[in-house]
Amino acid sequence: MPATLELTVSSNAAALAAQFAAFAKDQLPFGTALALTRLGALVQRGGREQLPKKFTVRAQWMVKAMATTLVRKGDWPNQQVNIGHPFWPMKLHEVGGEKTGGHVGEVYIPTRAMKSMLSPTTGKLPVQFQAHKLLAAGKAEEVTMPGRLGRVIMLRRAVSARRRNADKSTTILRLPANLRIAFLIRSAAKIKAAFGFFPLAEATVRSEYERLFVQAMEEAIATRRVKVAGGAHGP
């Protein structure tokens, strides 16, 4: 049998109703905003912890970019908390799908050797190593290979570039001419649904929101200030 709370009130019913109406107007929006903001922070933390478990994170900004919003009392009754990642490919990593080449019409997929050149701070290749730059400079060429390899970008000569490291030092990177295949060329790349952020967020809401809401409303009640005679305020 669920626990119940019984109140014995010696008061004018109309006055009591007015008090509850004032409470709902002032404190319920505050408590809900507080609970949703704290819920967002929990989901954000869970997402940040999950990213390195699911992907190779070469740049910490990818983890820190997982953001949440501050819910305001004034947005009542349409309060909501938004948690997400601004890096658009993360949507594909959540739901799966195809990454297309956009206005270029092609996707350049770096080989394992090229991925080793990615910056530890940005997660990107140095500009000199990017496919369109190599092709424009005549340092690489498009070749059609037999079998499943299909169209690829092959180096014609060695290329060097500077990479800034996480400790602000600089490393000289060199792509040897014998690296040969630098990129695969495809019309689209299949992306697997691997992040699992939606199930994590849903599980957090189900397990934590009720507790956070009760806690927030207790704080709202404890800090509420009520008008008394003469216009002064008291606890």
Side-chain angles (χ1 to χ4, degrees), residues 148-212:
R148 297 179 60 184
L149 275 177
R151 296 165 61 215
V152 301
I153 293 177
M154 299 186 70
L155 291 182
R156 298 180 63 183
R157 59 178 186 266
V159 185
S160 298
R162 292 178 179 272
R163 182 180 72 187
R164 190 172 179 82
N165 301 315
D167 61 0
K168 299 184 179 180
S169 63
T170 300
T171 300
I172 303 297
L173 302 175
R174 292 182 175 84
L175 293 178
N178 62 4
L179 171 64
R180 305 301 287 166
I181 299 177
F183 297 89
L184 306 178
I185 304 175
R186 300 292 185 264
S187 59
K190 291 184 178 180
I191 306 296
K192 294 181 179 179
F195 188 11
F197 176 70
F198 289 171
L200 181 149
E202 183 178 2
T204 304
V205 171
R206 290 181 181 278
S207 65
E208 299 295 333
Y209 182 69
E210 182 176 352
R211 175 184 66 81
L212 293 173

Side-chain angles (χ1 to χ4, degrees), residues 27-91:
Q27 302 306 104
L28 192 56
F30 168 75
T32 305
L34 187 58
L36 286 174
T37 297
R38 290 172 176 172
L39 178 68
L42 282 180
V43 175
Q44 176 195 42
R45 185 189 310 159
R48 286 179 171 180
E49 291 174 352
Q50 182 137 310
L51 264 171
K53 298 176 182 177
K54 297 292 185 176
F55 308 103
T56 299
V57 178
R58 295 183 175 86
Q60 283 305 305
W61 70 264
M62 282 292 293
V63 176
K64 295 178 181 178
M66 175 67 69
T68 183
T69 55
L70 178 68
V71 183
R72 301 185 183 280
K73 174 182 176 180
D75 293 333
W76 175 267
N78 300 311
Q79 294 163 311
Q80 63 179 23
V81 60
N82 298 306
I83 312 102
H85 203 289
F87 187 48
W88 67 266
M90 291 306 299
K91 178 180 178 180

Side-chain angles (χ1 to χ4, degrees), residues 113-131:
M114 292 298 291
K115 288 181 179 180
S116 68
M117 303 292 177
L118 294 171
S119 168
T121 56
T122 66
K124 299 179 180 179
L125 286 169
V127 174
Q128 297 94 321
F129 290 175
Q130 293 175 10

Side-chain angles (χ1 to χ4, degrees), residues 215-228:
Q215 182 183 63
M217 291 308 300
E218 288 175 347
E219 293 181 31
I221 294 171
T223 58
R224 184 188 178 212
R225 298 175 67 83
V226 183
K227 287 186 177 181
V228 295

